[in-house]
Amino acid sequence: MTAAVKGSVNNLLERLHLSSAAEAAPPREPTKEELEGLQAKYKEASQDQVFAFYDGLSKAEKGLLYEQLSNINPANINEITEKALNPPAASQEDKEPTVEPLPESATASILDSDKDDIEKWYSAGLDLIAEGKVAVVLMAGGQGTRLGSSDPKGCFNIGLPSEKSLFQVQGERILRLQYLAQKKHNKEKVVLPWYVMTSGPTRIPTEKFFETNKYFGLEKENVSIFEQGVLPCISNDGKILLESKSKVAVAPDGNGGIYQALVTSSVLGDLRERGIQHIHAYCVDNCLVKVADPTFIGFAASKDVDVATKVVRKRDAKEPVGLILLKNGKPDVVEYSEIDDATAEAKDPKQADVLKFRAANIVNHYYSFRFLETIPQWAHQLPHHVARKKIPYVDTEKGETIKPDKPNGIKLEQFVFDVFPQLNLEKFASMEVKRDDEFSPLKNGKGTGEDDPDTSRSDILQQGKRWVEEAGGVVTSESAEETGVEVSPLISYGGEGLEFLKGQTIKAPAVIEKEG
């Protein structure tokens, strides 16, 4: 890394309070001069309450708190908190924004694109994978709290007959793509590297899960697990909260933290060394995700864009989803609550049976490497958003741990799509895909009937049933509840390679792991 680039990165880390002091040895107790210097920094920012219990801590605790506080810029925290809580007055343009669908030049749809174009994009994408120019970044920082589990969400078993976790299903899709690219180009080996972004609570469990499961058949050196940043939790009166007497309360910085994390970890450098030019980024909770989808990669590469996003068609005007569109002439995501009924219900003048604004955001994105290399130039400009939460904390006057019964503070987070408006339209594109084939998020606990383990399981099994029937097989069932088939990603990525099922009868529920 050149000195200039390294300097700009370090400056970025300071602005983002994300400079890392990850050392193997436990942190030492600071000297008197070091402590006084840090205390002065916090006092100047009116955040010196974080030292309320310092004198009563053990040497080890003093070292840990000093290290944590050294990696936070309190003045910057004040600044971003103030901006998030009291954003600048909206301009007239922002008060009454103009919204329009993306122009046809920036979009494509699997639902009604020419079949030849789709095949061309798929072939081009598979070529890029074979050439080692494609990588995958997985956003997997969430825990399965709503699912009744403290494990990383990717470890969750949605109840498939095979009992595979989300991580395993996605890892096996990567294996299948490597095989398809090898086969097409008659290569001995193709590598599609996988970068898994975790959070503080999920990193170690994720690493152990991958190790225990032997990286799901992938080579260890081609799977990198890294960690997104955190931000301090802030009280309603703007003070940094303590989780314990020796630790600041922190929370992951949102899925928009992916940008800083790519810089602060070794990922960006590794992408550069591998010669990667195209990156697919997605969220772990979508069981139907087409990891490194060759069609999507080929489409984005053919348009030479820096960012592309997949969307699904909005079910109806009332569905509470964010929309990809043009806002004041810039690509953006507008939340459903920001759109009035008339706009939401407007029909497409060219297709009277579909909505004009229908491109639902599913957090499934393409990035060019050249764009990710510019992260240090713009990451600090992305806004922070406020999430009001019930945050357990230590009362700095009484020393008691308080578990509030109503929101007492805020967590600050960034959104991955906040970068979209910075792009020129010619460098942004969107591809509409079939919801039944590509989007089934896992958000809620079992039994809710919407975006829960049962719907995820059903969507995979029904997709498998469609593939079997398209290949000429017949699916039978003795139960109205169990009509699907699980097709292993190891034998089919998107319905291909199932010719051997022609004329066969499959009794559901079933798992097809291999031919025969």
Side-chain angles (χ1 to χ4, degrees):
M1 182 181 289
T2 66
V5 172
K6 187 173 183 180
S8 67
V9 169
N10 287 340
N11 289 339
L12 166 71
L13 301 187
E14 176 64 17
R15 287 197 299 271
L16 295 171
H17 71 278
L18 286 169
S19 50
S20 174
E23 301 291 340
R28 61 172 177 78
E29 181 182 0
T31 65
K32 180 181 178 182
E33 292 76 17
E34 289 172 333
L35 176 62
E36 289 177 348
L38 189 63
Q39 286 176 326
K41 188 176 179 181
Y42 275 80
K43 186 172 183 178
E44 184 178 357
S46 299
Q47 295 285 6
D48 50 323
Q49 77 285 345
V50 295
F51 292 97
F53 308 105
Y54 186 84
D55 291 341
L57 301 178
S58 68
K59 288 185 177 181
E61 289 172 329
K62 287 178 179 178
L64 287 168
L65 180 60
Y66 178 83
E67 180 185 59
Q68 187 185 27
L69 293 174
S70 296
N71 289 315
I72 296 172
N73 181 337
N76 184 59
I77 294 302
N78 287 347
E79 181 182 348
I80 64 176
T81 301
E82 174 64 21
K83 285 182 179 179
L85 289 173
N86 302 292
S91 65
Q92 191 60 36
E93 183 182 51
D94 288 331
K95 286 181 180 177
E96 299 177 7
T98 60
V99 293
E100 289 293 334
L102 291 175
E104 291 184 4
S105 60
T107 63
S109 175
I110 296 298
L111 281 69
D112 42 40
S113 285
D114 186 277
K115 184 179 179 182
D116 290 342
D117 285 338
I118 295 173
E119 290 178 351
K120 180 178 64 178
W121 294 328
Y122 176 85
S123 180
L126 203 58
D127 290 346
L128 291 169
I129 291 171
E131 293 165 11
K133 294 180 179 178
V134 179
V136 177
V137 176
L138 166 60
M139 291 175 275
Q143 293 172 284
T145 308
R146 290 187 187 176
L147 308 173
S149 170
S150 61
D151 291 333
K153 193 178 282 188
C155 301
F156 196 77
N157 170 8
I158 60 175
L160 293 173
S162 67
E163 298 189 350
K164 290 178 182 177
S165 65
L166 292 172
F167 279 141
Q168 181 168 352
V169 169
Q170 293 163 22
E172 289 182 356
R173 287 177 185 150
I174 292 175
L175 278 171
R176 178 66 180 177
L177 271 184
Q178 290 180 162
Y179 167 77
L180 292 173
Q182 286 173 225
K183 184 179 178 182
K184 180 181 179 184
H185 287 267
N186 196 28
K187 284 194 164 188
E188 288 188 11
K189 184 177 182 180
V190 166
V191 172
L192 181 54
W194 197 15
Y195 301 90
V196 181
M197 185 177 80
T198 63
S199 61
T202 65
R203 180 167 187 165
I204 292 176
T206 298
E207 289 175 336
K208 289 181 177 178
F209 193 76
F210 272 68
E211 290 169 4
T212 300
N213 289 279
K214 298 181 171 32
Y215 296 86
F216 314 110
L218 296 163
E219 294 176 318
K220 181 179 179 179
E221 59 267 30
N222 297 320
V223 178
S224 299
I225 297 173
F226 66 110
E227 191 173 325
Q228 71 182 103
V230 295
L231 289 167
C233 299
I234 310 296
S235 70
N236 285 334
D237 56 358
K239 297 296 185 181
I240 295 173
L241 292 170
L242 290 175
E243 175 185 310
S244 68
K245 293 181 178 181
S246 60
K247 186 178 181 182
V248 171
V250 296
D253 52 5
N255 59 20
I258 185 175
Y259 302 118
Q260 295 99 310
L262 290 174
V263 175
T264 59
S265 68
S266 60
V267 172
L268 205 61
D270 196 59
L271 291 170
R272 186 183 299 109
E273 289 178 13
R274 290 176 181 265
I276 299 297
Q277 295 180 11
H278 312 277
I279 296 93
H280 178 223
Y282 69 96
C283 292
V284 73
D285 62 3
N286 179 11
C287 68
L288 292 181
V289 63
K290 297 182 95 170
V291 183
D293 177 14
T295 305
F296 186 43
I297 299 294
F299 162 74
S302 72
K303 299 189 79 65
D304 193 31
V305 295
D306 284 331
V307 177
T309 184
K310 280 190 176 184
V311 299
V312 296
R313 190 166 292 184
K314 193 176 178 182
R315 287 194 180 106
D316 54 59
K318 300 295 184 183
E319 185 181 10
V321 291
L323 296 175
I324 305 284
L325 42 65
L326 285 184
K327 180 180 177 182
N328 296 330
K330 292 285 191 178
D332 208 339
V333 174
V334 175
E335 294 301 333
Y336 66 94
S337 57
E338 301 175 51
I339 298 176
D340 59 44
D341 289 346
T343 302
E345 294 168 4
K347 298 293 186 179
D348 188 326
K350 294 184 178 180
Q351 301 181 68
D353 60 334
V354 298
L355 296 170
K356 179 180 180 180
F357 296 97
R358 58 183 180 274
N361 176 37
I362 60 173
V363 196
N364 191 320
H365 307 309
Y366 161 94
Y367 298 95
S368 70
F369 178 73
R370 69 184 175 218
F371 178 69
L372 294 183
E373 276 207 300
T374 68
I375 290 173
Q377 299 172 25
W378 49 259
H380 63 285
Q381 299 172 1
L382 297 184
H384 289 80
H385 305 271
V386 169
R388 297 193 179 275
K389 300 286 186 178
K390 293 184 286 187
I391 305 169
Y393 69 101
V394 174
D395 185 318
T396 54
E397 294 183 1
K398 299 178 180 178
E400 299 173 354
T401 298
I402 309 296
K403 293 185 177 180
D405 55 9
K406 60 182 180 180
N408 64 308
I410 62 172
K411 295 181 179 180
L412 297 166
E413 57 185 3
Q414 294 180 308
F415 297 155
V416 70
F417 54 73
D418 281 332
V419 72
F420 292 179
Q422 298 191 30
L423 292 154
N424 292 323
L425 181 56
E426 63 268 20
K427 289 299 181 183
F428 184 87
S430 176
M431 172 177 274
E432 182 185 58
V433 297
K434 295 179 181 178
R435 187 188 291 251
D436 288 350
D437 281 336
E438 299 206 32
F439 186 55
S440 180
L442 179 60
K443 303 290 186 186
N444 303 315
K446 189 176 177 64
T448 58
E450 182 177 354
D451 297 341
D452 69 3
D454 293 333
T455 59
S456 293
R457 176 184 188 274
S458 175
D459 287 342
I460 284 187
L461 296 184
Q462 290 305 310
Q463 181 186 65
K465 179 184 178 182
R466 291 194 299 274
W467 288 354
V468 170
E469 292 174 341
E470 288 166 5
V474 176
V475 179
T476 63
S477 175
E478 295 180 355
S479 167
E481 288 77 35
E482 294 287 2
T483 62
V485 177
E486 181 184 354
V487 177
S488 170
L490 296 174
I491 64 166
S492 187
Y493 176 85
E496 84 293 332
L498 300 177
E499 297 82 6
F500 68 93
L501 292 174
K502 187 174 182 179
Q504 289 196 33
T505 298
I506 309 295
K507 185 178 178 181
V511 184
I512 301 175
E513 289 276 10
K514 59 184 179 180
E515 293 189 28

